[in-house]
Amino acid sequence: MSEEMENRQIVINPDDPESVKELADFVDAVMQKVEQKRKEQRRANIEKNIAYRKQFIKKCLEKYAEWKSISTINSAEFENDRQCLSVLNKTGSADDISRVIAKIDCDPALRNSIVVQLEKLLETYGAECAYIGKSTSERKYNVLKAYYFTIPRIKMPDIIKLYQTEFGRISSKTSTVMVDRHTIYRDLRNAINDFSDLFWGVYNLFC
């Protein structure tokens, strides 16, 4: 609210239409300012929420190979989606992520559940990328799978080398180019974003 509005003195005479209109205009201006602040706060909360979700999924992907190595269930036989998803917060901070990851580390059932969810979503993401059929989409899936889901995990320099061979050539009508390291890193970032959206979309269905 502006200083002019805060310091403004309004004298109301119920019998004076101009006086009443002045009050109405003032109240309307105040409410517009309030609504603008609310929108700004909602926007800030949404951005915080999205950032939290991406960071959480990235941390889960980083832990996948470790969790998978001590998993005691068959992914195909485990269907308890709600058990996995109900423990996760929609919003939070880096500290919240650390606490949730620590809880997953210490809870075998929950850890197994998260592993299953990640594997299900990888399959879904792969099908989606294949359906789109573009080299960029398929490359995003392949890079994500190689970097996080292959055990032992493939290091990024090795993934980049793979795409700098004949396998990584992109041909167009006018030229042929190689996929460079910056493209691979961008593919991984975009794939994590896609995976996060997919994961939390499933979360919203169950919680």
Side-chain angles (χ1 to χ4, degrees), residues 6 8 35 37 84 115 121 162 168:
E6 291 176 351
R8 188 174 179 182
E35 182 59 25
K37 289 292 183 183
C84 159
V115 166
L121 291 179
L162 177 63

Side-chain angles (χ1 to χ4, degrees), residues 11-128:
V11 179
I12 303 303
N13 180 357
D15 297 325
D16 180 5
E18 287 299 322
S19 175
V20 174
K21 182 178 183 303
E22 185 179 8
L23 174 62
D25 291 343
F26 177 76
V27 171
D28 183 59
V30 170
M31 294 309 297
Q32 287 182 21
K33 289 289 184 181
V34 170
E35 182 59 25
Q36 180 181 345
K37 289 292 183 183
R38 286 175 177 168
K39 288 181 179 179
E40 290 173 356
Q41 187 60 50
R42 285 195 294 267
R43 190 180 303 112
N45 288 339
I46 290 172
E47 291 174 355
K48 176 184 177 182
N49 189 0
I50 293 173
Y52 168 83
R53 291 179 171 197
K54 289 179 181 178
Q55 284 300 112
F56 176 78
I57 291 303
K58 185 176 180 180
K59 179 60 68 173
C60 286
L61 289 170
E62 290 171 353
K63 297 281 288 186
Y64 169 80
E66 175 188 337
W67 290 340
K68 177 67 174 178
S69 67
I70 54 178
S71 177
T72 57
I73 59 174
N74 185 334
S75 300
E77 298 175 357
F78 191 87
E79 296 295 338
N80 196 347
D81 301 294
R82 189 176 297 276
Q83 175 189 349
C84 159
L85 299 171
S86 62
V87 301
L88 308 179
N89 294 321
K90 289 186 177 181
T91 59
S93 65
D95 290 338
D96 295 325
I97 292 175
S98 298
R99 284 195 293 270
V100 175
I101 294 296
K103 182 174 183 179
I104 297 171
D105 277 329
C106 298
D107 186 334
L110 181 57
R111 187 174 60 236
N112 291 340
S113 179
I114 292 288
V115 166
V116 171
Q117 290 305 315
L118 294 176
E119 291 173 348
K120 285 182 178 179
L121 291 179
L122 179 69
E123 183 178 350
T124 301
Y125 185 53
E128 178 187 9

Side-chain angles (χ1 to χ4, degrees), residues 76-197:
E77 298 175 357
F78 191 87
E79 296 295 338
N80 196 347
D81 301 294
R82 189 176 297 276
Q83 175 189 349
C84 159
L85 299 171
S86 62
V87 301
L88 308 179
N89 294 321
K90 289 186 177 181
T91 59
S93 65
D95 290 338
D96 295 325
I97 292 175
S98 298
R99 284 195 293 270
V100 175
I101 294 296
K103 182 174 183 179
I104 297 171
D105 277 329
C106 298
D107 186 334
L110 181 57
R111 187 174 60 236
N112 291 340
S113 179
I114 292 288
V115 166
V116 171
Q117 290 305 315
L118 294 176
E119 291 173 348
K120 285 182 178 179
L121 291 179
L122 179 69
E123 183 178 350
T124 301
Y125 185 53
E128 178 187 9
C129 291
Y131 176 77
I132 294 173
K134 294 182 179 179
S135 59
T136 302
S137 298
E138 294 181 348
R139 194 173 62 243
K140 285 193 300 182
Y141 166 75
N142 289 330
V143 170
L144 182 79
K145 182 177 181 180
Y147 190 61
Y148 287 119
F149 288 90
T150 303
I151 301 177
R153 286 173 59 182
I154 302 177
K155 296 180 180 179
M156 187 56 77
D158 293 328
I159 296 175
I160 292 171
K161 286 180 182 178
L162 177 63
Y163 276 96
Q164 289 178 339
T165 64
E166 195 70 26
F167 175 74
R169 289 186 179 276
I170 300 177
S171 298
S172 65
K173 293 181 178 180
T174 57
S175 63
T176 300
V177 297
M178 303 296 292
V179 178
D180 61 21
R181 61 187 302 275
H182 301 292
T183 300
I184 299 301
Y185 277 106
R186 184 175 64 247
D187 286 339
L188 182 61
R189 287 195 302 270
N190 291 338
I192 292 172
N193 292 342
D194 294 344
F195 210 76
S196 175
D197 292 342

